[in-house]
């Protein structure tokens, strides 16, 4: 399958926004604008909107473990229980285990075009478990890569690199307690290595994300 890279330069901003339009199981890559750059693409669920969580969801009672408080830090391999909302109708509790943050090669960024020159990709691999047992089929969860200490990379990628870091939506049967799947979030940097994975969905976590580090 052929990838077509797309890069959008943000006016009056120092960060670089990268876009990748890919053919991904029927996904529509239609990013919404955010500060300082574009958000992740829409999922393969044609009726769903970009994931978000409101304060009432952050306080939702979990089934199968205490919800991690905003600002909690974990080690790679640790399991964090988190409130999750996708679109306007799907919400519940998930457990996320970051299994690895892997460094890729600059050549892997070829699909993003010339402006990606000098960028090193990192692959945040994770397992996502349905803890609450609600219907979260086709929902998509993304983690962001951060530099050591939690500083932003200055780059947000839209899309994935097939065969290297495939961003998978939840399967159709992700509707029962204990159901799980594996996915990958793509990040990149031109400066220091990415050493942190960050969960930032929902107002409370956006200001004080849950972090995984080595």
């Amino acid at each position: 399958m052929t990838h077509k890279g797309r890069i959008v330069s943000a006016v009056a901003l120092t960060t670089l926004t990268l876009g990748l339009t890919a053919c991904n199981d029927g996904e529509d890559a239609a990013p919404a604008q955010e500060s300082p750059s574009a958000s992740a693409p829409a999922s393969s669920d044609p009726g769903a909107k970009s994931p978000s969580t409101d304060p009432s969801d952050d306080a939702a009672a979990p089934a199968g473990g205490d919800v991690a408080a905003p600002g909690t830090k974990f080690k790679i391999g640790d399991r964090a229980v988190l409130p999750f909302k996708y679109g306007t109708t799907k919400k519940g509790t998930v457990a996320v285990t970051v299994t690895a943050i892997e460094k890729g090669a600059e050549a892997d960024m070829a699909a993003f075009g010339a402006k990606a020159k000098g960028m090193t990709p990192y692959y945040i691999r994770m397992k996502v478990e349905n803890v609450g047992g609600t219907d979260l089929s086709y929902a998509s969860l993304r983690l962001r890569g951060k530099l050591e200490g939690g500083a932003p990379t200055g780059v947000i990628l839209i899309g994935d690199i097939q065969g290297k870091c495939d961003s998978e939506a939840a399967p159709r049967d992700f509707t029962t307690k204990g159901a799980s799947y594996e996915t990958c979030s793509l990040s990149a940097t031109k400066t220091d290595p990415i050493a942190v994975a960050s969960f930032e969905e929902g107002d409370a976590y956006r200001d004080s994300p849950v972090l995984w580090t080595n």
Side-chain angles (χ1 to χ4, degrees):
M1 187 172 295
T2 301
H3 287 262
K4 182 180 178 182
R6 177 172 56 85
I7 296 179
V8 180
S9 297
V11 179
L13 295 176
T14 58
T15 56
L16 174 66
T17 300
L18 292 174
L20 173 61
T21 302
C23 213
N24 246 354
D25 299 327
E27 288 187 3
D28 293 327
Q33 292 298 318
E34 65 179 22
S35 178
S37 51
S39 66
S43 91
S44 56
D45 181 357
K49 297 181 180 179
S50 297
S52 62
T53 312
D54 57 39
S56 63
D57 296 312
D58 293 343
D66 292 334
V67 162
T72 303
K73 295 181 180 180
F74 293 93
K75 294 291 186 182
I76 301 297
D78 287 347
R79 177 179 181 269
V81 178
L82 299 163
F84 181 67
K85 181 179 180 181
Y86 190 81
T88 58
T89 60
K90 295 187 177 184
K91 61 182 179 180
T93 308
V94 297
V96 178
T97 304
V98 175
T99 56
I101 301 176
E102 297 178 359
K103 181 180 179 179
E106 182 181 338
D108 297 341
M109 298 291 293
F112 289 88
K115 287 189 177 181
K117 185 177 180 180
M119 292 185 181
T120 301
Y122 283 79
Y123 312 137
I124 302 172
R125 305 194 187 281
M126 72 192 94
K127 176 183 177 181
V128 183
E129 177 188 348
N130 190 330
V131 174
T134 56
D135 182 358
L136 296 174
S137 56
Y138 305 115
S140 180
L141 185 150
R142 177 181 173 85
L143 300 182
R144 297 196 183 279
K146 297 290 186 70
L147 307 182
E148 189 172 0
T153 65
V155 177
I156 295 178
L157 302 179
I158 301 170
D160 57 11
I161 300 175
Q162 282 197 336
K164 300 284 187 177
C165 185
D166 295 303
S167 178
E168 303 286 353
R172 181 174 60 183
D173 60 357
F174 197 65
T175 58
T176 58
K177 183 176 180 180
S180 66
Y181 71 101
E182 295 182 359
T183 186
C184 180
S185 288
L186 176 65
S187 288
T189 176
K190 267 193 170 182
T191 57
D192 297 331
I194 290 175
V196 179
S198 176
F199 175 84
E200 304 175 4
E201 296 189 13
D203 292 339
Y205 295 95
R206 187 174 300 113
D207 295 334
S208 188
V210 168
L211 305 176
W212 287 262
T213 61
N214 288 314

